[in-house]
Amino acid sequence: MGVVATAIALVVGIGLAGKDLRAQKADLASVLQQMDASAAKFQDVAANIAVDNYTAVVQDHEFQKGATAFRRTGGGMEMITHLKTSDGQPYADLLYRSGELDYYNPIQKQETVFSAGANKQEYDSLLATGFGATGKELSTAWTVTFQGMETLDGVQTAKLDLVSKDAKIRENYSHLTVWVDVSRDISLKQAMFQPSGDSRTVTYSNVRYNTHVKNDLFKLEIPRGTAVQRR
């Protein structure tokens, strides 16, 4: 998987669309059916995030916190993420738009712009898998296992395990587990597992769904004189 797709995967949440499944028997078919029914409703989402990076070889956790937003545009998907360390220091800023991922590292004062090139459709699709994908799109790209309904922070969620059908993605991520509030088409938590045993868990809070996030939000504030690399 390319650098752009890897970076997107680190921040993308897997969201499903649908009505409240509490009134019916919840199973994979009903979740996918709800996705098909309401995927077109997705416009944008913004949330606070908490990230837990686990390194298996040293059994160590590194934590970040921050904010993220996604929106669907005529040209595809856009994403902005701002991360800080656990003690509130700037850690990383990322903006994905029009097939380019702009990554700013404030510690190194380095801006790197990655171009998706011919893989733009693939990366936009990866973002859509997180927000607004239909059940058909999800089941086409992933082998999906329904693991039941689970209450997360007082909200009932559908727990799904995803294994990519793309061998290149499986080389980086063996599987993903996601907890989905199907009544709002929002993933409240996701865990990404690597073959090495490393994992990355992202928890979403203060979720704002379809609130027409402002254009000014999708900008990076980068100091003048910052070194820029393009790849």
Side-chain angles (χ1 to χ4, degrees):
M1 186 165 66
V3 176
V4 179
T6 300
I8 289 173
L10 291 177
V11 293
V12 68
I14 306 299
L16 308 182
K19 301 177 181 177
D20 195 342
L21 293 181
R22 290 174 290 186
Q24 59 178 284
K25 181 179 179 180
D27 56 19
L28 178 59
S30 63
V31 170
L32 297 179
Q33 183 179 18
Q34 296 298 332
M35 291 180 64
D36 288 332
S38 58
K41 297 178 181 179
F42 177 83
Q43 299 175 31
D44 56 67
V45 64
N48 297 338
I49 57 175
V51 183
D52 177 359
N53 296 292
Y54 174 70
T55 304
V57 67
V58 292
Q59 298 185 358
D60 181 62
H61 293 265
E62 182 183 22
F63 300 95
Q64 289 109 35
K65 56 186 178 181
T68 190
F70 296 80
R71 69 176 178 180
R72 189 188 299 278
T73 67
M77 294 290 291
E78 295 183 356
M79 174 274 295
I80 184 81
T81 297
H82 301 285
L83 289 173
K84 296 183 178 181
T85 62
S86 57
D87 59 358
Q89 298 301 308
Y91 182 79
D93 297 312
L94 303 95
L95 172 66
Y96 179 79
R97 172 186 288 167
S98 302
E100 284 193 344
L101 178 70
D102 194 342
Y103 175 87
Y104 175 59
N105 184 324
I107 299 174
Q108 298 179 356
K109 297 182 179 179
Q110 175 71 52
E111 178 185 7
T112 306
V113 180
F114 302 93
S115 175
N119 297 315
K120 178 181 181 300
Q121 184 174 356
E122 174 190 345
Y123 299 154
D124 285 350
S125 177
L126 182 59
L127 287 174
T129 297
F131 304 99
T134 65
K136 180 179 180 180
E137 290 169 337
L138 190 74
S139 58
T140 297
W142 308 84
T143 298
V144 187
T145 302
F146 177 63
Q147 297 185 335
M149 303 301 293
E150 184 173 316
T151 299
L152 183 66
D153 197 23
V155 178
Q156 188 186 51
T157 65
K159 184 179 180 182
L160 301 176
D161 193 71
L162 310 176
V163 177
S164 178
K165 294 181 180 180
D166 187 326
K168 292 182 180 179
I169 293 179
R170 292 198 306 272
E171 289 177 0
N172 292 274
Y173 302 100
S174 53
H175 68 109
L176 286 68
T177 303
V178 295
W179 290 256
V180 183
D181 175 3
V182 294
S183 68
R184 295 187 296 169
D185 185 17
I186 293 295
S187 175
L188 299 184
K189 181 180 178 180
Q190 69 163 6
M192 309 179 71
F193 301 92
Q194 297 179 275
S196 63
D198 294 353
S199 65
R200 180 183 179 88
T201 302
V202 182
T203 304
Y204 298 82
S205 62
N206 189 26
V207 177
R208 289 88 71 196
Y209 179 68
N210 281 356
T211 56
H212 305 291
V213 293
K214 297 180 179 180
N215 290 335
D216 289 346
L217 182 65
F218 288 84
K219 294 180 180 179
L220 294 185
E221 299 294 334
I222 299 177
R224 291 184 179 181
T226 299
V228 182
Q229 293 184 353
R230 288 189 173 273
R231 298 182 183 179

